[in-house]
Amino acid sequence: MTNPPADTLVHRSVPAPAGRIHLVEQGSGPLVLLVHGFPEGWYSWRHQLPALAAAGFRAVAVDVRGYGRSSRPEAVDAYRMVELVEDAVAVVAALGERSASIVGHDWGASIAATSALLRPDVFHAVALLGVPYSPPGGPRPSDVFAAMGGQEEFYVSYFQQPGRAEAEIEPDVRGWLAGFHAALSGDTMPGPDDPSPYFVGPGGRLRDRFPADRLPAWLGEPELDRLAGEFERTGLSGALNRYRNVDRDWADLAGHRGAPLTQPSLFIGGALDASVSWLADAIAAFPDTLPGLVASHLLDDCGHWVQQERPDRVNRILVDWLTGLAR
């Protein structure tokens, strides 16, 4: 397969267990697979694609199954983690490659980590953005989420019931996405004394606690229009089905309980991201769970959307890490 010139952004769809996976690639060289989180798409890597291409890498950002132009299977259990790993493996093969570095953000970080865990023959290095690695195991996830928040409901539990979050989001996709991104961004998130946007009050909605009428500095109206347009076309069920499979994942991966990732690895988080606070013990355990860790970075004044909030800093970190792997 002929690679495109380094300054060209190329869209294509490739066969995968999902049916098809849409991807966008730029550059030539060692393959770097970029996997987005919720509720995003390949476009969340728009700043990284040209930077990685300019540094001599073949950067490929996918639409995960259920998103964008990729296939959207109807069955809820089609979105379990082992299925998403097989999609990632299929993308590498369809691109004519045998192996890749894999980089993920949010749910994409979990997909990247599980891909590296299950298929170390394909994924020789892994970078995790926003969500640190926690080995499989522990209590059943839904039991943990149900116990959080007291009289309030944790957002993951809220997302797990099919149709419930869709009924909140889909009548005003653009407004909901604007509020959700603002709630988790370092420059617009609620203060420590405000009600948490990660919990739903009795009889309430998640969006009741989103910041109103303001966008993060990094998210302009054109970018929001593009993001909203994709979800207005596809709906949110495919994206939300990831949350509806956490217990299936727990069962599927039981045989890997406590397993470390031994490949060269990297972590980048936002210092203001709640995920970093909730999973502080996972970060502290990196010497055991990520023995191949090259570097771990917490970016000051940054929230959840690290590669979009701090694109230049993230690009430098990724390029330095990937270049070091090639030495």
Side-chain angles (χ1 to χ4, degrees):
M1 180 179 294
T2 301
N3 293 333
D7 61 349
T8 301
L9 206 64
V10 175
H11 291 254
R12 62 165 57 107
S13 291
V14 299
R20 68 179 181 281
I21 293 293
H22 169 250
L23 58 85
V24 178
E25 68 173 300
Q26 189 168 359
S28 60
L31 178 61
V32 182
L33 191 64
L34 304 168
V35 189
H36 66 82
F38 175 88
E40 302 177 273
W42 77 265
Y43 191 66
S44 68
W45 300 105
R46 63 193 176 280
H47 303 296
Q48 284 67 53
L49 287 165
L52 295 178
F57 296 94
R58 185 183 186 186
V60 174
V62 300
D63 281 333
V64 173
R65 71 163 68 187
Y67 288 83
R69 302 183 204 172
S70 292
S71 293
R72 297 187 299 281
E74 291 187 10
V76 172
D77 65 359
Y79 295 85
R80 53 211 295 166
M81 189 63 73
V82 291
E83 299 281 353
L84 302 179
V85 169
E86 289 306 308
D87 286 344
V89 170
V91 167
V92 173
L95 293 172
E97 304 284 357
R98 293 185 176 180
S99 66
S101 301
I102 188 167
V103 180
H105 171 251
D106 183 77
W107 268 123
S110 299
I111 296 169
T114 311
S115 297
L117 178 66
L118 299 184
R119 295 300 305 268
D121 56 316
V122 177
F123 300 105
H124 59 258
V126 56
L128 310 176
L129 277 61
V131 176
Y133 177 62
S134 294
R140 193 171 72 110
S142 288
D143 294 338
V144 175
F145 301 139
M148 297 175 68
Q151 296 299 310
E152 298 186 333
E153 186 177 16
F154 191 47
Y155 80 100
V156 176
S157 299
Y158 182 71
F159 284 169
Q160 284 182 321
Q161 182 180 338
R164 187 179 177 197
E166 289 93 326
E168 173 185 333
I169 302 169
E170 291 180 356
D172 178 21
V173 170
R174 191 181 191 279
W176 194 92
L177 291 172
F180 188 71
H181 281 76
L184 277 63
S185 184
D187 60 338
T188 49
M189 63 175 52
D193 297 327
D194 296 322
S196 171
Y198 296 96
F199 292 88
V200 179
R205 305 171 302 170
L206 197 64
R207 71 182 301 160
D208 294 340
R209 297 179 177 181
F210 293 169
D213 302 322
R214 53 183 168 146
L215 289 178
W218 58 269
L219 182 63
E221 298 285 351
E223 289 82 12
L224 178 59
D225 287 341
R226 182 178 189 130
L227 180 67
E230 286 290 270
F231 286 108
E232 287 168 348
R233 180 177 60 82
T234 65
L236 271 292
S237 290
L240 289 162
N241 281 342
R242 177 82 291 276
Y243 295 91
R244 296 161 186 165
N245 280 280
V246 292
D247 291 340
R248 294 186 182 94
D249 298 338
W250 178 73
D252 288 341
L253 299 173
H256 298 273
R257 183 183 181 93
L261 294 181
T262 59
Q263 297 96 320
S265 57
L266 172 72
F267 176 70
I268 309 172
L272 301 180
D273 188 354
S275 296
V276 168
S277 301
W278 294 330
L279 296 171
D281 289 346
I283 294 174
F286 279 171
D288 297 319
T289 62
L290 293 177
L293 185 70
V294 173
S296 178
H297 301 265
L298 286 182
L299 308 187
D300 291 340
D301 302 318
C302 183
H304 182 65
W305 318 103
V306 285
Q307 79 270 32
Q308 297 179 87
E309 292 186 52
R310 299 289 185 273
D312 293 342
R313 177 71 174 132
V314 168
N315 289 348
R316 288 195 297 272
I317 293 170
L318 286 176
V319 168
D320 287 348
W321 175 69
L322 289 164
T323 302
L325 297 177
R327 291 187 183 125

